[in-house]
mmCIF file of all heavy atoms in Angstrom:
data_model
loop_
_atom_site.group_PDB
_atom_site.id
_atom_site.type_symbol
_atom_site.label_atom_id
_atom_site.label_comp_id
_atom_site.label_asym_id
_atom_site.label_seq_id
_atom_site.Cartn_x
_atom_site.Cartn_y
_atom_site.Cartn_z
ATOM 1 N N THR A 188 -12.651 -18.319 26.790
ATOM 2 C CA THR A 188 -11.958 -19.599 26.759
ATOM 3 C C THR A 188 -10.452 -19.363 26.670
ATOM 4 O O THR A 188 -9.996 -18.263 26.350
ATOM 5 C CB THR A 188 -12.402 -20.432 25.543
ATOM 6 O OG1 THR A 188 -11.997 -19.746 24.345
ATOM 7 C CG2 THR A 188 -13.907 -20.643 25.535
ATOM 8 N N GLN A 189 -9.694 -20.412 26.943
ATOM 9 C CA GLN A 189 -8.240 -20.308 26.789
ATOM 10 C C GLN A 189 -7.875 -19.909 25.363
ATOM 11 O O GLN A 189 -7.021 -19.031 25.147
ATOM 12 C CB GLN A 189 -7.575 -21.640 27.132
ATOM 13 C CG GLN A 189 -7.527 -21.987 28.597
ATOM 14 C CD GLN A 189 -6.618 -23.173 28.853
ATOM 15 O OE1 GLN A 189 -5.530 -23.273 28.282
ATOM 16 N NE2 GLN A 189 -7.071 -24.092 29.704
ATOM 17 N N ASP A 190 -8.512 -20.544 24.388
ATOM 18 C CA ASP A 190 -8.179 -20.249 22.997
ATOM 19 C C ASP A 190 -8.498 -18.800 22.642
ATOM 20 O O ASP A 190 -7.732 -18.152 21.913
ATOM 21 C CB ASP A 190 -8.921 -21.188 22.055
ATOM 22 C CG ASP A 190 -8.347 -22.601 22.056
ATOM 23 O OD1 ASP A 190 -7.218 -22.779 22.558
ATOM 24 O OD2 ASP A 190 -9.030 -23.509 21.557
ATOM 25 N N ILE A 192 -8.475 -16.163 24.618
ATOM 26 C CA ILE A 192 -7.462 -15.294 25.228
ATOM 27 C C ILE A 192 -6.140 -15.407 24.467
ATOM 28 O O ILE A 192 -5.502 -14.401 24.139
ATOM 29 C CB ILE A 192 -7.275 -15.647 26.706
ATOM 30 C CG1 ILE A 192 -8.568 -15.357 27.478
ATOM 31 C CG2 ILE A 192 -6.109 -14.864 27.310
ATOM 32 C CD1 ILE A 192 -8.603 -15.961 28.868
ATOM 33 N N VAL A 193 -5.721 -16.630 24.162
ATOM 34 C CA VAL A 193 -4.450 -16.847 23.477
ATOM 35 C C VAL A 193 -4.475 -16.209 22.089
ATOM 36 O O VAL A 193 -3.538 -15.496 21.686
ATOM 37 C CB VAL A 193 -4.131 -18.354 23.382
ATOM 38 C CG1 VAL A 193 -2.961 -18.603 22.428
ATOM 39 C CG2 VAL A 193 -3.815 -18.910 24.767
ATOM 40 N N GLU A 235 -9.123 -21.572 36.300
ATOM 41 C CA GLU A 235 -9.347 -22.663 35.357
ATOM 42 C C GLU A 235 -9.158 -22.268 33.896
ATOM 43 O O GLU A 235 -8.920 -23.145 33.049
ATOM 44 C CB GLU A 235 -10.751 -23.233 35.557
ATOM 45 C CG GLU A 235 -10.950 -23.843 36.946
ATOM 46 C CD GLU A 235 -12.372 -24.298 37.198
ATOM 47 O OE1 GLU A 235 -13.233 -24.095 36.305
ATOM 48 O OE2 GLU A 235 -12.634 -24.844 38.294
ATOM 49 N N THR A 236 -9.266 -20.974 33.584
ATOM 50 C CA THR A 236 -9.209 -20.556 32.179
ATOM 51 C C THR A 236 -8.121 -19.523 31.910
ATOM 52 O O THR A 236 -7.269 -19.712 31.036
ATOM 53 C CB THR A 236 -10.572 -19.970 31.738
ATOM 54 O OG1 THR A 236 -11.591 -20.952 31.940
ATOM 55 C CG2 THR A 236 -10.536 -19.573 30.275
ATOM 56 N N ILE A 237 -8.132 -18.407 32.662
ATOM 57 C CA ILE A 237 -7.252 -17.288 32.316
ATOM 58 C C ILE A 237 -5.791 -17.600 32.619
ATOM 59 O O ILE A 237 -4.915 -17.400 31.772
ATOM 60 C CB ILE A 237 -7.712 -15.996 33.025
ATOM 61 C CG1 ILE A 237 -9.168 -15.674 32.637
ATOM 62 C CG2 ILE A 237 -6.797 -14.831 32.661
ATOM 63 C CD1 ILE A 237 -9.778 -14.514 33.403
ATOM 64 N N THR A 238 -5.503 -18.104 33.808
ATOM 65 C CA THR A 238 -4.112 -18.421 34.142
ATOM 66 C C THR A 238 -3.518 -19.483 33.223
ATOM 67 O O THR A 238 -2.379 -19.324 32.744
ATOM 68 C CB THR A 238 -3.997 -18.844 35.616
ATOM 69 O OG1 THR A 238 -4.337 -17.716 36.441
ATOM 70 C CG2 THR A 238 -2.581 -19.286 35.950
ATOM 71 N N PRO A 239 -4.225 -20.585 32.920
ATOM 72 C CA PRO A 239 -3.665 -21.537 31.943
ATOM 73 C C PRO A 239 -3.398 -20.902 30.573
ATOM 74 O O PRO A 239 -2.402 -21.248 29.924
ATOM 75 C CB PRO A 239 -4.734 -22.628 31.855
ATOM 76 C CG PRO A 239 -5.438 -22.571 33.175
ATOM 77 C CD PRO A 239 -5.453 -21.116 33.551
ATOM 78 N N ALA A 240 -4.262 -19.986 30.147
ATOM 79 C CA ALA A 240 -4.028 -19.302 28.869
ATOM 80 C C ALA A 240 -2.755 -18.459 28.935
ATOM 81 O O ALA A 240 -1.946 -18.454 27.995
ATOM 82 C CB ALA A 240 -5.229 -18.432 28.509
ATOM 83 N N LEU A 241 -2.567 -17.757 30.055
ATOM 84 C CA LEU A 241 -1.366 -16.933 30.208
ATOM 85 C C LEU A 241 -0.111 -17.805 30.257
ATOM 86 O O LEU A 241 0.940 -17.418 29.720
ATOM 87 C CB LEU A 241 -1.474 -16.079 31.468
ATOM 88 C CG LEU A 241 -2.616 -15.053 31.491
ATOM 89 C CD1 LEU A 241 -2.555 -14.231 32.766
ATOM 90 C CD2 LEU A 241 -2.575 -14.160 30.277
ATOM 91 N N ASN A 242 -0.205 -18.972 30.868
ATOM 92 C CA ASN A 242 0.944 -19.871 30.894
ATOM 93 C C ASN A 242 1.316 -20.336 29.482
ATOM 94 O O ASN A 242 2.506 -20.464 29.149
ATOM 95 C CB ASN A 242 0.659 -21.073 31.793
ATOM 96 C CG ASN A 242 0.656 -20.699 33.269
ATOM 97 O OD1 ASN A 242 1.272 -19.711 33.665
ATOM 98 N ND2 ASN A 242 -0.025 -21.482 34.085
ATOM 99 N N ARG A 243 0.317 -20.587 28.652
ATOM 100 C CA ARG A 243 0.584 -20.938 27.255
ATOM 101 C C ARG A 243 1.300 -19.799 26.544
ATOM 102 O O ARG A 243 2.265 -20.010 25.786
ATOM 103 C CB ARG A 243 -0.723 -21.276 26.538
ATOM 104 C CG ARG A 243 -1.338 -22.609 26.928
ATOM 105 C CD ARG A 243 -2.748 -22.759 26.365
ATOM 106 N NE ARG A 243 -2.802 -22.628 24.913
ATOM 107 C CZ ARG A 243 -3.950 -22.634 24.222
ATOM 108 N NH1 ARG A 243 -5.117 -22.757 24.859
ATOM 109 N NH2 ARG A 243 -3.929 -22.529 22.913
ATOM 110 N N LEU A 244 0.832 -18.579 26.778
ATOM 111 C CA LEU A 244 1.428 -17.412 26.118
ATOM 112 C C LEU A 244 2.853 -17.156 26.608
ATOM 113 O O LEU A 244 3.738 -16.804 25.820
ATOM 114 C CB LEU A 244 0.547 -16.190 26.357
ATOM 115 C CG LEU A 244 -0.800 -16.221 25.620
ATOM 116 C CD1 LEU A 244 -1.783 -15.226 26.246
ATOM 117 C CD2 LEU A 244 -0.608 -15.913 24.134
ATOM 118 N N LEU A 245 3.074 -17.327 27.900
ATOM 119 C CA LEU A 245 4.434 -17.175 28.437
ATOM 120 C C LEU A 245 5.375 -18.199 27.811
ATOM 121 O O LEU A 245 6.534 -17.889 27.486
ATOM 122 C CB LEU A 245 4.414 -17.314 29.955
ATOM 123 C CG LEU A 245 3.801 -16.149 30.734
ATOM 124 C CD1 LEU A 245 3.564 -16.544 32.193
ATOM 125 C CD2 LEU A 245 4.698 -14.906 30.652
ATOM 126 N N VAL A 251 3.397 -11.246 28.893
ATOM 127 C CA VAL A 251 2.058 -11.089 29.454
ATOM 128 C C VAL A 251 2.119 -11.196 30.975
ATOM 129 O O VAL A 251 2.957 -11.912 31.534
ATOM 130 C CB VAL A 251 1.065 -12.143 28.909
ATOM 131 C CG1 VAL A 251 0.807 -11.921 27.430
ATOM 132 C CG2 VAL A 251 1.576 -13.570 29.146
#
Side-chain angles (χ1 to χ4, degrees):
T188 65
Q189 286 191 42
D190 286 345
I192 295 167
V193 168
E235 297 175 357
T236 302
I237 302 173
T238 295
L241 297 183
N242 288 336
R243 287 170 57 185
L244 290 162
L245 288 167
V251 293

